[in-house]
């Protein structure tokens, strides 16, 4: 028994006194982006502020969505009084909000006999936003505009750059706009030139985040492509000066009320970074139950969704309310067909699914709604530009 008792006594004598154990913990984060990949460097520094040597085990946790690419999350260290140890690691993530409140540590003796678990405060937070593809400005004409200066011809006379018409002179009109030729033909009347006003548009983005619309193959996700498309469209419209709002429809609803400028882009990116596909409680959610009234009347609503058969009533309701609608529908059949075996059964199944999807999109196009049948391997900008500049809603090929 003497060797064992000696071993235990040595462990007890060398075990630190928890009341005197003090640590200074700091966590720093650095975000880098290269080639469309977002990586975050995490540096966790722990300093021993006690007067005795402490044996410490550091155990960092992995959050959902993190993929560790460099470094380790666990380490045994021996810290003398005043010494500091750093734990460094790098992780990749597509998007999301990541929070750290503390770090798990185990304080013990060098022999590992007496150990005590401690959670040291180490607060930090980082938000990884979806990747934005820069789109050029699209010169489109919505059915209705807001009475604020912008870049869209509003079909109204007033101040602008393009000639709109001629009317009789009213008191207060600028003399520089007098039409002298027409005035010369009517000696007792004066006429003023009018120019077409240029205003901004009201735009709403509706993103489908339902589980029934998600399709994931390996690390590729149809929903992530929709999130990236929504972020790019929001950045383009806000850069043009329009007022943009966002609604994310899923098990958890997220929305950013309509607004302008960089502040609104920050709000929209915050919503998109938190958007995720969650398991539905028993029943599938239809887009027809979306609270579309968060968008002002007569707004241009762009729906980003693969569309299910139960979603068709939403488009009837939108048209009845007077909204102008554009559908951007990523093709899940094209997304999944590359992973199927090229046999007769699969070819017939893919063909039948394509016919069913084409009929579904044609039903929506008959409501004079431009439909973009988007294969996510293709660039989206030319399809959106063609859909917004056309006068009649036809299906995009």
């Amino acid at each position: 028994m003497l060797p064992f008792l000696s071993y235990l006594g040595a462990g007890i004598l060398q075990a630190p006194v928890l009341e005197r154990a003090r640590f200074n913990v700091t966590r720093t984060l650095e975000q880098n982006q290269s080639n469309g990949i977002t990586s975050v460097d995490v540096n966790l520094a722990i300093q021993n502020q006690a007067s005795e040597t402490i044996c410490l085990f550091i155990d960092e946790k992995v959050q959902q969505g993190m993929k560790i690419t460099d470094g380790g999350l666990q380490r045994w260290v021996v810290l003398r009084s005043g010494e500091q140890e750093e734990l460094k690691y790098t992780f990749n993530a597509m998007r999301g909000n990541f929070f750290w409140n503390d770090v798990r540590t185990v304080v013990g003796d060098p022999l590992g006999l007496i150990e005590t678990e401690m959670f040291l405060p180490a607060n930090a937070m980082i938000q990884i936003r979806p990747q934005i593809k820069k789109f050029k400005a699209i010169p489109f004409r919505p059915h209705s505009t807001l009475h604020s200066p912008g870049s869209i011809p509003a079909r109204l006379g007033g101040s602008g750059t393009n000639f709109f018409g001629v009317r009789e002179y009213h008191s207060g009109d600028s003399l520089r706009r007098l039409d002298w030729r027409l005035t010369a033909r009517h000696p007792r009347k004066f006429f003023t030139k009018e120019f077409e006003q240029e205003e901004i548009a009201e735009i709403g983005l509706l993103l489908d985040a339902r589980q029934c619309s998600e399709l994931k193959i390996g690390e590729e996700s149809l929903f992530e492509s929709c999130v990236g498309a929504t972020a790019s469209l929001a950045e383009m419209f806000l850069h043009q000066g329009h007022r943009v709002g966002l609604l994310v429809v899923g098990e958890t609803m997220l929305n950013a009320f309509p607004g302008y400028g960089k502040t609104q882009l920050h709000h929209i990116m915050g919503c998109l970074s938190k958007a995720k596909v969650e398991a539905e409680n028993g029943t599938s959610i239809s887009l027809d139950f979306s609270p579309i009234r968060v968008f002002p009347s007569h707004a241009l609503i762009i729906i980003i969704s693969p569309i299910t058969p139960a979603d068709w009533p939403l488009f009837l309701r939108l048209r009845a309310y007077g909204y102008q609608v554009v559908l951007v529908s990523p093709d899940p059949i094209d997304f999944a067909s590359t992973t199927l075996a090229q046999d007769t059964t699969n070819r017939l199944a893919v063909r039948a699914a394509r016919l069913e999807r084409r009929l579904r999109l044609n039903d929506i196009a008959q409501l004079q709604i431009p439909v973009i049948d988007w294969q996510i391997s293709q660039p989206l900008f030319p399809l959106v530009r063609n859909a917004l500049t056309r006068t009649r809603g036809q299906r995009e090929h």
Side-chain angles (χ1 to χ4, degrees), residues 23-274:
F23 300 94
N24 181 26
V25 183
T26 56
R27 188 194 302 272
T28 57
L29 307 174
E30 183 177 355
Q31 182 173 339
N32 303 309
Q33 290 186 353
S34 62
N35 300 325
I37 300 176
T38 302
S39 63
V40 179
D41 298 329
V42 183
N43 185 8
L44 182 67
I46 300 180
Q47 183 182 23
N48 181 16
Q49 295 183 333
S51 58
E52 56 186 357
T53 301
I54 294 179
C55 185
L56 188 69
F57 176 69
I58 306 172
D59 184 17
E60 185 76 311
K61 64 180 180 180
V62 179
Q63 302 183 35
Q64 184 179 4
M66 293 172 51
K67 183 179 180 181
I68 306 299
T69 59
D70 188 21
L73 302 181
Q74 298 178 343
R75 182 183 302 175
W76 275 103
V77 296
V78 177
L79 296 178
R80 296 183 178 88
S81 178
E83 283 188 346
Q84 176 177 297
E85 183 69 21
E86 294 183 350
L87 179 68
K88 298 181 179 180
Y89 62 93
T90 302
F91 71 89
N92 291 346
M94 297 186 64
R95 60 178 182 84
N97 294 335
F98 299 92
F99 301 88
W100 292 266
N101 295 323
D102 50 38
V103 56
R104 177 181 176 271
T105 60
V106 177
V107 179
D109 62 280
L111 301 179
L113 296 177
I114 301 176
E115 297 180 346
T116 304
E117 185 180 51
M118 297 179 63
F119 290 90
L120 304 178
N123 298 325
M125 187 273 288
I126 192 170
Q127 182 181 87
I128 300 179
R129 299 180 173 183
Q131 298 291 332
I132 295 178
K133 294 182 179 180
K134 295 289 185 178
F135 290 168
K136 297 180 180 179
I138 297 178
F140 67 100
R141 287 201 173 191
H143 296 166
S144 179
T145 57
L146 291 174
H147 298 305
S148 297
S151 59
I152 297 178
R155 305 181 185 91
L156 297 173
S159 59
T161 57
N162 297 327
F163 178 76
F164 185 73
V166 179
R167 61 170 174 81
E168 288 192 20
Y169 174 82
H170 296 305
S171 178
D173 289 345
S174 174
L175 297 179
R176 295 181 179 180
R177 296 188 177 181
L178 285 178
D179 190 335
W180 294 107
R181 292 186 179 181
L182 189 59
T183 301
R185 298 176 188 175
H186 303 81
R188 300 191 179 188
K189 292 183 179 180
F190 292 91
F191 295 90
T192 301
K193 295 179 182 179
E194 274 193 319
F195 297 88
E196 188 173 16
Q197 294 185 17
E198 295 179 347
E199 299 178 343
I200 63 174
E202 184 80 63
I203 299 174
L205 300 175
L206 192 152
L207 174 62
D208 186 357
R210 300 172 299 168
Q211 188 180 31
C212 61
S213 301
E214 167 66 324
L215 184 60
K216 194 169 185 179
I217 301 175
E219 295 184 356
E220 297 291 330
S221 170
L222 194 66
F223 177 68
E224 294 298 332
S225 300
C226 294
V227 171
T230 305
S232 300
L233 291 173
E235 192 275 338
M236 178 191 68
F237 289 128
L238 288 171
H239 185 72
Q240 289 182 256
H242 303 305
R243 189 164 77 166
V244 182
L246 172 69
L247 176 64
V248 181
V249 180
E251 187 67 22
T252 301
M253 298 282 184
L254 299 173
N255 74 294
F257 291 105
Y260 308 89
K262 294 183 178 180
T263 301
Q264 180 65 7
L265 181 61
H266 175 75
H267 293 161
I268 290 177
M269 289 301 162
C271 288
L272 292 178
S273 65
K274 293 186 291 185

